Amino acid sequence: MLDKIAQIKDSAIRQIESCSDIDQLNQLKVKYLGRKGELTDILRSIGKLSAQERPAVGKLAGEVKALISQRLQEIFSSLEAKQQSPQEFFDITMPGRRPSVGKKHPLTQLIDEIVKIFHGMGFSVAEGPDVETEYYNFDALNTPADHPSRDIQDTFYLENGELLRTHTSPVQIRVMEKQRPPVRIIAPGKCYRRDTPDATHSPNFHHVEGLYVDTDVTMADLKGTLVVFAQQLLGKEVRVRFRPHFFPFTEPSVEWDFSCTACGGKGCNLCKGTGWIEISGAGMVDPAVFEAVGYDSEKYSGYAFGMGVERIAMVKYGINDIRLFYENDLRFIQQF
Ligand code: DAH
């Protein structure tokens, strides 16, 4: 009898474990544990056995029954799990996926910051077209036809004789044509030049132009405005320096520098040992420019300045290659 139970156990377990189908598994359950099952028969007949045989047979039959039902249960569960489609399978313990949040490009962020500072000093934002005429980009800005900046090397000319603006200074002219003094504007925007891209040049870049025209505007107003701007943007310790220069649309003209933000003016790699970082040009509006827009240069005076946004961003964030701004590599952009 004991041998028979052992045989039942072996064949039951073997069949259950190799079973890959729930219906088949149900049949095995009936075969071994059902009312007419082989093991049930044995358990039912225990009463007829002798008193010596009964305990051992009873014990083994009970153990085998428990073992078979346990294996059946296990195989049932695993077959059921396999049957479930992936959609039905939902792991509520899995962490959710965060939506990635977009933000402004670092150059746009910096332009916003520059605009905000000048807003605080009473400047409003003016805009002009990227495609300009020679008149606005050059002539009205007192840039004669033989001036080097009109060279075909620097300017993208269109077939119809128009051009891509090389600076946002033409916005000055467009504003003054429409408005009488006082005028206090900044003009942020894209500019274009035929430059071969390298670490410090890009054929497309951004400028912010500034213009203030009123009675009795002086160079001291220009300097004061740029100092306030520099200190709000980069910190109280920053100083501004003027160097004599030439621009056709201003007289006198200067180039303006920030004291180096990396070394505080002592001289380092960033400022090439000079202690100063060149930002751009500025000056007092040339009377010829006033004449072009019909302002009386005896009555009014004004200052104008320009600045390269990429240049300031490179200084502010310690970036050594301008091309990083245009590659749109998220690993770079997400740092701002
Ligand atoms: N437009 C000049 C440039 O493209 C920058 C500039 C210089 C603007 C002097 C000004 C200025 O308004 O007064 O580099």
Side-chain angles (χ1 to χ4, degrees):
M1 188 62 101
L2 291 174
D3 286 348
K4 185 156 184 233
I5 298 172
Q7 264 173 23
I8 293 172
K9 176 186 135 192
D10 288 345
S11 77
I13 298 294
R14 199 176 343 105
Q15 288 182 26
I16 290 168
E17 286 182 346
S18 62
C19 182
S20 59
D21 174 277
I22 292 199
D23 289 342
Q24 227 180 316
L25 201 60
N26 270 318
Q27 284 165 17
L28 290 173
K29 187 175 174 184
V30 172
K31 180 176 175 193
Y32 290 104
L33 302 180
R35 261 190 316 123
K36 292 187 183 147
E38 296 176 35
L39 203 57
T40 318
D41 273 352
I42 292 175
L43 283 161
R44 214 180 278 135
S45 64
I46 281 177
K48 294 177 198 143
L49 296 176
S50 69
Q52 294 109 306
E53 257 188 315
R54 212 181 290 152
V57 172
K59 182 165 177 272
L60 184 63
E63 282 170 3
V64 169
K65 186 183 176 185
L67 182 71
I68 291 173
S69 54
Q70 189 200 338
R71 285 309 281 144
L72 274 168
Q73 201 46 55
E74 285 166 7
I75 303 294
F76 262 122
S77 310
S78 84
L79 287 179
E80 264 166 13
K82 267 189 217 156
Q83 250 185 9
Q84 270 174 346
S85 64
Q87 285 100 317
E88 282 171 274
F89 181 77
F90 186 77
D91 180 359
I92 54 161
T93 64
M94 211 160 83
R97 259 181 235 144
R98 260 174 221 283
S100 54
V101 180
K103 50 177 168 173
K104 288 184 179 176
H105 187 277
L107 291 177
T108 309
Q109 287 183 40
L110 181 56
I111 290 172
D112 286 350
E113 208 180 331
I114 294 171
V115 166
K116 200 170 155 210
I117 294 171
F118 281 102
H119 260 161
M121 292 191 277
F123 287 76
S124 52
V125 171
E127 281 176 346
D130 289 21
V131 175
E132 268 295 7
T133 60
E134 277 195 276
Y135 178 76
Y136 285 108
N137 198 79
F138 293 125
D139 296 291
L141 286 163
N142 194 33
T143 308
D146 58 357
H147 192 272
S149 66
R150 290 181 74 149
D151 199 309
I152 191 98
Q153 296 288 327
D154 293 329
T155 308
F156 287 111
Y157 282 94
L158 307 183
E159 275 167 8
N160 66 2
E162 292 182 329
L163 48 82
L164 298 181
R165 66 181 176 193
T166 56
H167 47 186
T168 53
S169 307
V171 181
Q172 286 187 29
I173 305 298
R174 290 180 174 274
V175 169
M176 287 191 285
E177 275 181 347
K178 289 203 198 81
Q179 189 186 327
R180 295 283 97 195
V183 169
R184 207 191 312 237
I185 54 115
I186 52 166
K190 289 192 173 72
C191 307
Y192 308 82
R193 283 181 205 178
R194 281 173 165 251
D195 273 327
T196 307
D198 63 21
T200 54
H201 293 86
S202 162
N204 174 210
F205 52 95
H206 298 76
H207 261 191
V208 176
E209 176 83 10
L211 173 71
Y212 176 37
V213 184
D214 205 342
T215 49
D216 304 318
V217 178
T218 69
M219 200 97 173
D221 297 320
L222 170 63
K223 183 93 185 260
T225 304
L226 293 180
V227 168
V228 169
F229 164 66
Q231 295 187 345
Q232 289 198 13
L233 187 73
L234 297 170
K236 267 266 158 277
E237 62 293 337
V238 175
R239 283 158 294 134
V240 176
R241 170 174 90 166
F242 281 178
R243 282 175 292 112
H245 200 75
F246 171 80
F247 291 101
F249 28 88
T250 40
E251 180 60 38
S253 300
V254 298
E255 278 197 317
W256 52 290
D257 306 337
F258 287 164
S259 57
C260 180
T261 47
C263 64
K266 285 188 213 78
C268 68
N269 271 346
L270 185 68
C271 59
K272 298 190 189 88
T274 64
W276 295 93
I277 302 214
E278 197 181 309
I279 299 299
S280 186
M284 301 307 291
V285 179
D286 194 292
V289 172
F290 281 152
E291 200 178 305
V293 296
Y295 279 12
D296 180 353
S297 60
E298 295 295 320
K299 188 167 166 199
Y300 297 113
S301 54
Y303 63 68
F305 56 85
M307 64 183 96
V309 178
E310 282 81 351
R311 176 108 191 101
I312 294 179
M314 289 169 82
V315 172
K316 186 169 157 80
Y317 302 121
I319 293 160
N320 57 13
D321 194 325
I322 195 172
R323 289 168 293 197
L324 287 166
F325 291 118
Y326 314 111
E327 283 165 358
N328 286 334
D329 183 334
L330 289 179
R331 290 168 302 180
F332 172 74
I333 286 179
Q334 276 168 347
Q335 293 177 49
F336 298 90

